[in-house]
Amino acid sequence: MTLNNNTVESIMTTNVATVSPNQTVQEAAQLMSQKNIGALPVVENGQVKGMITDRDITLRTTAQGKNASIPVSQVMSTNVVTGTPNMSVQEAANVMAQHQIRRLPIVENNQLRGIVALGDIATNHAYDEAAEQALTNISEPSQPQA
């Protein structure tokens, strides 16, 4: 199988650190610290059930005085936007910009295959314009929900 250099598959990280919904927030935070990352897909039986970020932990656990031993499922975001391995890098950048996200889990046949971060797009000079456009849109404050 040859990789098309314009697809997400050519730039995605395939060895993705993940946590399960029933692991503790502390375990998630420790894994983030070990891997020097700010977000983890929450995966059960290979399927993405959510995402947990260092910000989720800060705002939904620490700021609310909750114990770090609560399950990740109580803190994670569940409305996860995903991409596919064969989508173009430009499409991925557009999806990330539209949803104001910096990381896009890549799913095939309902199974996590990898993840693309805005940095993956930005470090590939062929996609400088896509990364710049995505970052501009991600960095714009979203309108408050009514």
Side-chain angles (χ1 to χ4, degrees):
M1 180 174 97
T2 58
L3 294 180
N4 179 337
N5 287 339
N6 295 328
T7 64
V8 166
E9 191 168 28
S10 68
I11 64 166
M12 71 183 184
T13 299
T14 55
N15 187 15
V16 182
T18 65
V19 290
S20 68
N22 59 355
Q23 283 185 269
T24 67
V25 169
Q26 182 174 3
E27 288 174 307
Q30 287 171 336
L31 186 56
M32 286 180 199
S33 178
Q34 286 170 2
K35 302 284 186 183
N36 193 28
I37 54 177
L40 292 167
V42 181
V43 176
E44 190 170 50
N45 299 322
Q47 296 182 354
V48 178
K49 300 296 185 182
M51 288 285 286
I52 185 166
T53 66
D54 46 10
R55 190 165 198 264
D56 292 332
I57 293 170
T58 300
L59 299 179
R60 297 179 185 161
T61 307
T62 311
Q64 296 183 16
K66 293 183 180 172
N67 190 310
S69 63
I70 64 171
V72 165
S73 60
Q74 291 185 24
V75 180
M76 69 185 189
S77 298
T78 54
N79 54 342
V80 180
V81 177
T82 62
T84 60
N86 60 348
M87 74 190 309
S88 74
V89 173
Q90 183 65 54
E91 284 177 286
N94 291 344
V95 167
M96 294 166 83
Q98 179 184 355
H99 294 280
Q100 295 189 315
I101 56 175
R102 294 174 185 269
R103 297 163 198 90
L104 185 66
I106 304 302
V107 174
E108 188 173 49
N109 299 322
N110 279 334
Q111 299 290 298
L112 180 66
R113 287 273 320 278
I115 195 162
V116 171
L118 185 59
D120 296 329
I121 297 172
T123 56
N124 188 324
H125 294 298
Y127 304 113
D128 282 347
E129 189 176 322
E132 183 179 336
Q133 179 185 2
L135 183 57
T136 298
N137 290 336
I138 290 167
S139 298
E140 285 179 5
S142 58
Q143 297 303 316
Q145 300 285 326

